[in-house]
């Protein structure tokens, strides 16, 4: 009899304002690449990466937005079935941090998670290499995360590849924690 009924594929979705570095983070994590200029993603809705968590090999299916986050709601199909939702802001842009709340609400409404109160979110403050232009203090962001259901918080640089792996390991763990 099979004893391991745990999922092997986890759907991760990355949300946040346009320009915060969502595509860059995913590209750094999956392909170890960073470029300054981004073409809008054409065709590819997600990238897959295999990781080992707790001695289990699983696949992370990481869904990115192709620029449409600027204009419209992404629609239920994009959100549905997600195992973890990553909310990204830019540490040099306060507005992108303030908008996390509405991204979180958008996800809860559109994604219809089974238990919205315990659904795993992870918050990433990206562009930590631009410390001299910082507008969002680490402690301030941590406090927000704490009072919003104790969300895990990371600061990363997709450019320098700082903390990107650590953040995605936590994302993988959060995704698999419910199963
Ligand atoms: P998205 O719209 O959220 O997908 O953002 P992109 O990944 O397209 O990145 C927007 C811009 O920010 C691009 O010019 C990237 O090169 C730049 N960028 C992304 N991540 C970083 C980072 O960690 N540090 C710096 N300095 N620039 C970044
Ligand atoms: Mg993008």
């Amino acid at each position: 009899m099979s004893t391991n009924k745990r999922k092997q594929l986890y759907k991760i979705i990355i949300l946040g304002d346009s320009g915060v570095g969502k595509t860059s983070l995913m590209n750094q994590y999956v392909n170890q690449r960073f470029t300054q200029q981004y073409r809008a993603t054409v065709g590819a809705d997600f990238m897959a990466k295999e990781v080992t968590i707790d001695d289990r090999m699983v696949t992370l299916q990481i869904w990115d937005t192709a620029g449409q986050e600027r204009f419209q709601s992404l629609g239920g199909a994009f959100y549905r079935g997600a195992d973890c939702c990553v909310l990204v802001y830019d540490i040099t842009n306060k507005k992108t941090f303030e908008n996390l709340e509405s991204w979180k609400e958008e996800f809860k409404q559109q994604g219809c998670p089974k238990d919205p109160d315990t659904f795993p979110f992870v918050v990433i403050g990206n562009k930590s290499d631009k410390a001299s232009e910082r507008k969002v203090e680490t402690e301030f962001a941590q406090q927000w995360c704490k009072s919003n259901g104790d969300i895990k918080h990371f600061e990363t640089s997709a450019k320098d590849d700082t903390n990107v792996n650590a953040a995605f390991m936590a994302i993988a763990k959060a995704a698999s924690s419910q199963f």
Side-chain angles (χ1 to χ4, degrees):
M1 201 164 42
S2 167
T3 51
N4 193 347
K5 291 212 167 120
R6 300 186 76 183
K7 296 214 306 188
Q8 287 180 335
L9 181 90
Y10 294 102
K11 179 176 176 180
I12 314 294
I13 67 167
I14 308 191
L15 295 178
D17 288 1
S18 178
V20 296
K22 301 181 298 298
T23 303
S24 299
L25 278 166
M26 183 168 99
N27 204 33
Q28 179 61 265
Y29 178 61
V30 176
N31 301 317
Q32 286 82 51
R33 272 205 294 265
F34 178 81
T35 51
Q36 294 289 342
Q37 263 330 348
Y38 255 99
R39 299 177 302 254
T41 325
V42 180
D45 288 323
F46 64 83
M47 287 187 195
K49 170 129 171 160
E50 295 205 319
V51 288
T52 306
I53 3 168
D54 303 332
D55 295 326
R56 278 193 317 136
M57 180 93 107
V58 301
T59 302
L60 301 185
Q61 191 185 65
I62 308 166
W63 289 62
D64 187 23
T65 57
Q68 69 270 51
E69 70 270 32
R70 260 176 253 211
F71 311 111
Q72 67 201 43
S73 164
L74 296 157
F78 178 77
Y79 298 101
R80 217 157 292 137
D83 298 299
C84 178
C85 176
V86 184
L87 304 170
V88 185
Y89 67 96
D90 172 352
I91 67 152
T92 72
N93 182 334
K94 188 124 207 181
K95 187 79 197 151
T96 65
F97 178 76
E98 289 164 359
N99 285 341
L100 292 187
E101 180 74 52
S102 51
W103 282 115
K104 189 163 164 269
E105 284 315 304
E106 159 98 351
F107 174 80
K108 284 188 177 178
Q109 277 178 22
Q110 300 280 340
C112 312
K114 264 194 235 101
D115 190 349
D117 294 328
T118 60
F119 185 85
F121 290 91
V122 171
V123 166
I124 294 183
N126 189 44
K127 309 198 186 182
S128 64
D129 57 286
K130 294 169 87 177
S132 63
E133 295 169 51
R134 178 189 286 276
K135 298 283 170 4
V136 183
E137 293 308 321
T138 308
E139 296 71 28
F140 187 74
Q142 282 171 340
Q143 195 51 52
W144 185 86
C145 289
K146 205 170 172 209
S147 53
N148 273 269
D150 229 349
I151 302 177
K152 279 208 159 49
H153 174 258
F154 291 85
E155 287 191 352
T156 61
S157 167
K159 186 180 180 185
D160 293 353
D161 197 11
T162 304
N163 235 5
V164 175
N165 223 65
F168 275 96
M169 273 317 293
I171 289 161
K173 286 206 166 184
S176 66
S177 65
Q178 306 200 316
F179 303 96

